[in-house]
Amino acid sequence: MKYIFVTGGVVSSLGKGLTAGALGALLEMRGLKVRIQKFDPYLNVDPGTMSPFQHGEVYVLDDGAETDLDLGHYERFTSGKLSRHNSLSSGQIYEAVIAKERRGDYLGKTVQVIPHVTNEIKRRIYGGGKGVDVLITEIGGTTGDIEGLPFLEAMRQFALEVGPKDCVFIHVTLIPYLKAAGELKTKPTQQSVAKLREIGIQPHILCCRCDHPMTPEMKEKLSMFCNVPAKAVIEEMDVESSIYELPLMLQQQGLDQLVVNQLGLKNRANPKNIWAEVVRRIKSPKHEVKIGVVGKYIELQDAYKSVYESLNHAGIANHARVKIVRVDAEDLETKSGLSQLKKLDGILVPGGFGDRGIEGKIAAAGYARKNNIPYYGLCLGLQVAMIEFARNVLGLKKAHSMEMDPKTPEPVIALMDEQRNVVQKGGTMRLGAYECKLKPGSLARRAYGTDSVSERHRHRYEVNNDYIARFEKAGMIISGWNPKRGLVEIAELKDHPWFLGVQCHPEFQSKPNKAHPLFASFIAAAIKNQKK
């Protein structure tokens, strides 16, 4: 087993997760089995109860773990399936240590950060990469943060235990460009590395994030002040068109070869680079479509990260550039606001919680239904489509979701039975992968090309089965359902070019070189709609 640790300095949001994911992709191309995990210093047990404004989207794994959005990057760049063992927070660590203390596991001892907290962190590193050749661990936050110090101390101890030939430290840092001086500055990186070395960690490789090219002299300067070989100072500039250019860029800079050499690995490079074809399709599309994403966190790029990426994957599959038009759901709550939807080739309503903007989302579903525009609803996007159909086709004018109106006389969306007595918010939803049986001859069945699929979920409310007969009689097809519990998973309109909603989150299983079937079908329908 070989171990790679990715740390970050100067500022957050530098792209540690993308760097880790791209490196994982390059090592997989060399025939290595790779797994990537994320350690976050915050005290929340997981990000499940955090606002998207605080933390971006919550990414859900097959086993139901609610994790950081970086795990989405890991799964999109590499082939490995992740589990809750690959996502760790300070909250989980302290929860485990305190539970052991209460059980008496440390009886007679004073429980301290060193060794008890650091031992728990190291235990998760040893267990996180079973069955793989290389385990990449990203440490969230920035070097010097007080919350992250136990993790960095655990890394230092871990490297000492496994030895220098089995462990590589990569430090992602900022090289800012000062417009007034007209040059890049290396001092922030020097300070960041000095802080890391003060803790006892010497980085082997520097990945320098910059928006202007670095000179050889700058690399030599960083080499001298940071005690890193000049060839291990990697220039990581902003990409031109897509994050999927990153593996190609880092390969040209020699990052994967540096890692292979440092770890003493003998695997040869795969001559076929799948990322070259992905980037070629992104840069040379045959079509361009406008897709409106109707949400309430549209000003925040990371709130719907997996949705945006899945749309781009579907564009790659269809040789199309997908231009995403962010539409604030609250703006659609007036008739004049609906004019924003006129020039769109497709409309997507993503998942969400709470009643803010809900009437705008319902209006968007109605607009797509009435105007034969391709519509794709994810989780809440399915529910608002069912509410709109109930109100305007079935004539149930007061139809609503019990989430938004607990006293609605027509609860077409109702709280799941097992959720009725739930008090705690964290980790108590319907989470993770569930089976879905597909109806023969349906749009969903044609798109998937199989009779049964498994998709990830994150919700408390479901389509109320008491209304299904009326929905189907009026032209709404229930094309996917959970066989064990009889729950609606997919619904689609009978007489519509492309109108489909899912209770699950297919965006969590899409990859750039293998678009999710429903997303690919949706973009194909949008291209067809545009031509018509």
Side-chain angles (χ1 to χ4, degrees), residues 60 64 66 379 416 418-419 427-436 455-462 481-489 503-505:
V60 180
E66 294 176 288
C379 198
M416 299 165 63
E418 66 265 32
Q419 290 287 326
T428 57
M429 287 184 274
R430 185 187 182 202
L431 292 163
Y434 289 86
E435 184 186 7
C436 173
E455 294 285 6
R456 301 175 186 180
H457 293 67
R458 184 177 185 253
H459 59 100
R460 297 184 194 278
Y461 294 81
E462 299 273 359
W481 66 94
N482 179 265
K484 289 187 178 179
R485 300 169 63 189
L487 298 173
V488 173
E489 295 283 9
Q503 186 59 77
C504 54
H505 287 274

Side-chain angles (χ1 to χ4, degrees), residues 1 3 5 126 157-167:
M1 175 73 68
Y3 300 91
F5 297 105
Y126 282 115
Q157 294 176 21
F158 187 88
L160 191 65
E161 290 175 13
V162 299
K165 283 294 182 182
D166 291 331
C167 190

Side-chain angles (χ1 to χ4, degrees), residues 333-379:
E333 294 180 353
T334 62
K335 286 187 178 180
S336 60
L338 287 172
S339 62
Q340 296 180 63
L341 306 179
K342 284 184 178 179
K343 294 183 179 180
L344 297 175
D345 302 309
I347 295 170
L348 184 150
V349 176
F353 300 91
D355 60 358
R356 183 166 69 86
I358 192 70
E359 292 300 327
K361 295 177 183 181
I362 293 170
Y367 187 90
R369 179 180 63 81
K370 295 169 188 173
N371 293 280
N372 286 329
I373 298 173
Y375 175 85
Y376 190 17
L378 307 175
C379 198

Side-chain angles (χ1 to χ4, degrees), residues 316-333:
I316 293 168
N318 285 281
H319 297 272
R321 176 179 290 116
V322 177
K323 185 176 180 182
I324 295 170
V325 180
R326 301 181 192 183
V327 181
D328 192 323
E330 290 181 283
D331 292 345
L332 304 183
E333 294 180 353

